[in-house]
Amino acid sequence: MRILWRPFEFSRRLLKVKSCSITESEFLIPLAWTSLTQKLRKASDISLPGQRKRSSTMPEIETNERDSELFSPPSDVRGMTKLDRTAFKKTVTIPVLKVKKEIVNKLMRSLKRAALQRPGIKRVIEDPDDEENRLIMLDPYKMFTHDSFEKAELSILTQLNVKPQISKYNLELTYENFKSEEILKAVLPEGQDVTSGFSRVGHIAHLNLRDHQLPFKHLIGQVMIDKNPGITSVVNKINNIDNTYRNFQMEVLSGEENMMTKVRENNYTYEFDFSKVYWNPRLSTEHSRITEILKPGDVLFDVFAGVGPFAIPAAKKNCTVFANDLNPESHKWLLHNCKLNKVDQKVKVFNLDGKEFLQGPVKEELTQQLGLSKERKHSVHIVMNLPAKAIEFLSAFKSLLEGQPCSRELLPIVHCYSFSKDADPAEDVRQRAGAVLGISLEACSSVHLVRNVAPNKEMLCITFQIPTAILYKNQTMNLEHHEDPPVKRQRTDEAFSEEKTQIASNT
Ligand SMILES: C[S@@+](CC[C@H](N)C(=O)[O-])C[C@H]1O[C@@H](n2cnc3c(N)ncnc32)[C@H](O)[C@@H]1O
């Protein structure tokens, strides 16, 4: 799964029409509408009633453009830093068609083009002057006079004995009727970017606000809570993740201070305190990609396990799992999540530095597992997801094991993550990993692009089998002829460039 730069969601609450009265029932082009039509004339290449031929179809204006014209909050909310919902009240004039209530359903099917299309606003409302009638709200950007109806629409109106006479209706819009993007666009300085991406972690929306948005941070937080059902807390990242445990320093902008949360990822449940551990919903695809590679019976060593998003699915797949994290909070929640997902019998959990884990429990288990190589059919995988540093930890594999080497197909497969800002990120990661091991990984590794982290910064995963000469003491193997790589390089690079294009277009 990828969480993308996603505009704030539109409130799913339904609009309540607060005041409604027909103010005129003659054919119209009232003054307010004249100014609107003038704007429209400027805004697009649109013909106006009376100027176009009856048979022509009125070109449509982009939805966003249309909404920003009429359905935007009042201009005096600009600069508001403390949210005052009452200041968002506004009355707009909407064209309506008065019809008998019995024919509404029949008619609506034929008036799809002409009807008002605005989420949250009812298209059919009661006529306050006559309970036998209904008012069909029409699109104020298309429908001006009877002349705005198309031939087919006029024909159905005639069949149903409805006069194609358009009236005006005063509709009161309130805070509830505006999308969060519209609210923030109206409040923040004109022309400034308001579409903030956010990651959702359970009930928490996690923002990364830019400088010009900071004076409005509490208002932005409140609007996000109002407009996104299920979000009850909004936090802003206040540093880059550069601390050891990779958790964010964050400020609660609005809503609950409680950072204890529960998330679902790939059908597993994780609970943790988001202020104390690492969790990134943008890694769910990567977690499932690795899980897919594993086969029942395989052994997984998860060196930087966090709260368990590789370890738990692997254990559910009947792999034997050894999961480790240095952060005592991650360790605590990892244990908890293993129980929560009923895999605590299949996961051995450690709270060690990655290097100690590799040189201690991993070495011990590998010695045992690979020593049984004649009977073994299963693979051993080592996942190292600490992209800023994991490559350095590869040195722990050098001469880790002693004695008679296992057969080559049983050598452990490493999946090591790294960031790269290089113009050729795959090559950069291959070279850096190879340099730590003292070998060339050119012909015997694959590199997978995980995600684009920032402009010119990629997260990648390099996968390779640890060569015998590296893993075992006193081995002299010609590393240049380390044959039969797990994935051939050529395929990898093609796949990489495809993935890169795909991910870039998704980001
Ligand atoms: C990027 S997170 C990955 C967590 C998890 N694997 C995931 O995919 O969500 C890296 C994890 O490594 C842990 N960590 C950082 N330094 C470590 C070290 N030296 N040894 C072991 N774990 C470490 C952090 O606490 C964090 O949970």
Side-chain angles (χ1 to χ4, degrees):
M1 184 196 95
R2 295 178 61 74
I3 299 258
L4 303 173
W5 292 99
R6 174 168 85 132
F8 300 121
E9 279 179 10
F10 180 65
S11 167
R12 279 166 221 158
R13 279 173 230 167
L14 274 185
L15 169 98
K16 279 200 203 120
V17 176
K18 293 217 171 142
S19 85
C20 48
S21 60
I22 298 178
T23 52
E24 256 177 31
S25 52
E26 71 271 303
F27 285 116
L28 46 92
I29 302 197
L31 267 183
W33 284 40
T34 313
S35 83
L36 174 65
T37 53
Q38 276 163 355
K39 274 191 206 161
L40 282 172
R41 196 181 291 131
K42 275 190 219 146
S44 69
D45 187 17
I46 187 167
S47 14
L48 295 169
Q51 294 179 319
R52 67 194 174 92
K53 290 183 191 120
R54 276 188 73 101
S55 57
S56 72
T57 310
M58 190 175 279
E60 292 194 4
I61 307 167
E62 283 292 303
T63 311
N64 286 345
E65 194 183 325
R66 290 191 291 147
D67 281 1
S68 70
E69 290 283 332
L70 190 65
F71 296 103
S72 57
S75 56
D76 53 4
V77 299
R78 171 95 50 221
M80 177 188 283
T81 50
K82 191 166 182 300
L83 183 61
D84 173 9
R85 295 180 185 81
T86 61
F88 286 81
K89 266 193 195 155
K90 170 183 179 177
T91 302
V92 291
T93 306
I94 303 289
V96 288
L97 184 68
K98 194 190 268 241
V99 299
K100 289 278 166 226
K101 66 179 181 192
E102 298 78 28
I103 59 163
V104 166
N105 288 347
K106 250 189 212 167
L107 200 51
M108 285 311 281
R109 266 175 260 138
S110 312
L111 288 186
K112 274 189 189 136
R113 181 202 69 92
L116 177 68
Q117 309 275 357
R118 165 100 187 163
I121 297 185
K122 286 184 184 169
R123 263 178 281 175
V124 181
I125 54 169
E126 287 182 7
D127 180 351
D129 298 335
D130 183 348
E131 61 179 31
E132 293 306 305
N133 285 341
R134 294 290 178 268
L135 301 177
I136 299 177
M137 301 259 206
L138 300 176
D139 186 333
Y141 289 89
K142 287 181 189 158
M143 306 304 293
F144 309 99
T145 68
H146 71 289
D147 205 27
S148 310
F149 286 106
E150 287 186 346
K151 222 173 173 179
E153 293 162 347
L154 284 170
S155 144
I156 187 94
L157 291 177
T158 312
Q159 271 175 43
L160 294 169
N161 212 11
V162 180
K163 273 199 209 152
Q165 187 171 320
I166 295 179
S167 310
K168 281 200 298 178
Y169 178 83
N170 282 342
L171 172 70
E172 189 175 89
L173 298 177
T174 64
Y175 174 79
E176 280 69 33
N177 303 126
F178 298 111
K179 303 173 198 174
S180 54
E181 215 181 331
E182 290 164 343
I183 292 171
L184 298 181
K185 199 171 170 194
V187 169
L188 267 64
E190 217 159 355
Q192 297 272 24
D193 185 16
V194 296
T195 359
S196 256
F198 71 91
S199 298
R200 184 169 181 167
V201 180
H203 68 285
I204 305 161
H206 172 221
L207 304 178
N208 190 3
L209 292 181
R210 293 172 217 159
D211 286 349
H212 72 271
Q213 297 165 331
L214 291 176
F216 305 92
K217 61 186 180 181
H218 298 298
L219 179 143
I220 293 173
Q222 190 53 58
V223 172
M224 292 200 57
I225 290 178
D226 290 344
K227 298 293 176 183
N228 293 282
I231 297 278
T232 54
S233 184
V234 177
V235 300
N236 187 36
K237 176 166 142 184
I238 52 177
N239 70 344
N240 281 327
I241 316 187
D242 52 9
N243 64 352
T244 308
Y245 300 148
R246 326 306 295 164
N247 56 327
F248 298 98
Q249 299 299 303
M250 55 183 84
E251 180 193 10
V252 178
L253 301 181
S254 197
E256 356 174 8
E257 298 275 330
N258 174 21
M259 292 292 111
M260 269 300 312
T261 196
K262 184 182 196 156
V263 298
R264 289 280 289 170
E265 183 186 270
N266 304 326
N267 287 329
Y268 303 102
T269 305
Y270 303 89
E271 290 178 343
F272 48 84
D273 182 335
F274 186 51
S275 64
K276 295 186 176 146
V277 303
Y278 177 90
W279 182 265
N280 187 345
R282 292 176 186 165
L283 289 180
S284 71
T285 305
E286 184 57 15
H287 296 146
S288 66
R289 185 183 74 90
I290 295 289
T291 313
E292 294 276 301
I293 294 171
L294 303 173
K295 306 238 165 9
D298 284 354
V299 179
L300 172 71
F301 296 105
D302 189 354
V303 186
F304 310 105
V307 298
F310 287 117
I312 288 166
K316 274 279 183 206
K317 225 176 161 180
N318 275 328
C319 296
T320 305
V321 181
F322 296 76
N324 171 68
D325 203 286
L326 182 62
N327 180 354
E329 282 289 323
S330 297
H331 175 255
K332 176 177 110 185
W333 291 109
L334 177 57
L335 282 168
H336 172 88
N337 290 323
C338 287
K339 282 207 184 88
L340 189 66
N341 291 280
K342 301 190 172 53
V343 291
D344 47 317
Q345 298 304 313
K346 292 181 191 154
V347 185
K348 288 202 180 86
V349 176
F350 300 83
N351 180 208
L352 298 170
D353 173 73
K355 196 167 175 197
E356 283 174 43
F357 176 63
L358 289 168
Q359 292 178 336
V362 176
K363 175 179 174 170
E364 204 177 293
E365 191 62 26
L366 280 181
T367 305
Q368 210 196 327
Q369 293 275 342
L370 303 181
L372 307 170
S373 67
K374 281 191 193 98
E375 300 142 46
R376 278 189 52 80
K377 289 190 200 80
H378 302 295
S379 307
V380 174
H381 293 261
I382 304 176
V383 170
M384 301 172 73
N385 182 16
L386 179 60
K389 284 195 180 146
I391 283 181
E392 294 166 28
F393 287 77
L394 292 176
S395 62
F397 293 119
K398 285 168 136 179
S399 303
L400 185 69
L401 305 184
E402 293 164 34
Q404 185 64 29
C406 65
S407 60
R408 205 150 47 76
E409 56 278 14
L410 293 178
L411 288 167
I413 300 161
V414 171
H415 308 272
C416 180
Y417 292 83
S418 179
F419 295 126
S420 177
K421 290 184 175 174
D422 199 88
D424 185 347
E427 192 53 32
D428 172 48
V429 169
R430 256 194 208 101
Q431 284 197 356
R432 285 191 287 122
V436 171
L437 292 168
I439 55 163
S440 164
L441 289 170
E442 289 292 309
C444 57
S445 62
S446 69
V447 180
H448 172 81
L449 177 64
V450 177
R451 68 185 195 99
N452 173 249
V453 178
N456 304 322
K457 184 174 177 183
E458 317 291 346
M459 175 177 171
L460 306 105
C461 176
I462 180 164
T463 294
F464 59 93
Q465 266 184 306
I466 313 172
T468 311
I470 298 296
L471 189 62
Y472 286 89
K473 264 186 196 150
N474 306 322
Q475 292 298 308
T476 47
M477 179 179 144
N478 184 353
L479 292 169
E480 291 303 314
H481 295 95
H482 182 70
E483 294 155 4
D484 200 15
V487 184
K488 296 262 195 238
R489 162 118 199 242
Q490 191 189 355
R491 199 213 77 76
T492 303
D493 285 349
E494 276 164 14
F496 179 82
S497 82
E498 255 169 48
E499 279 161 12
K500 197 169 170 182
T501 319
Q502 252 174 26
I503 289 189
S505 64
N506 282 342
T507 307

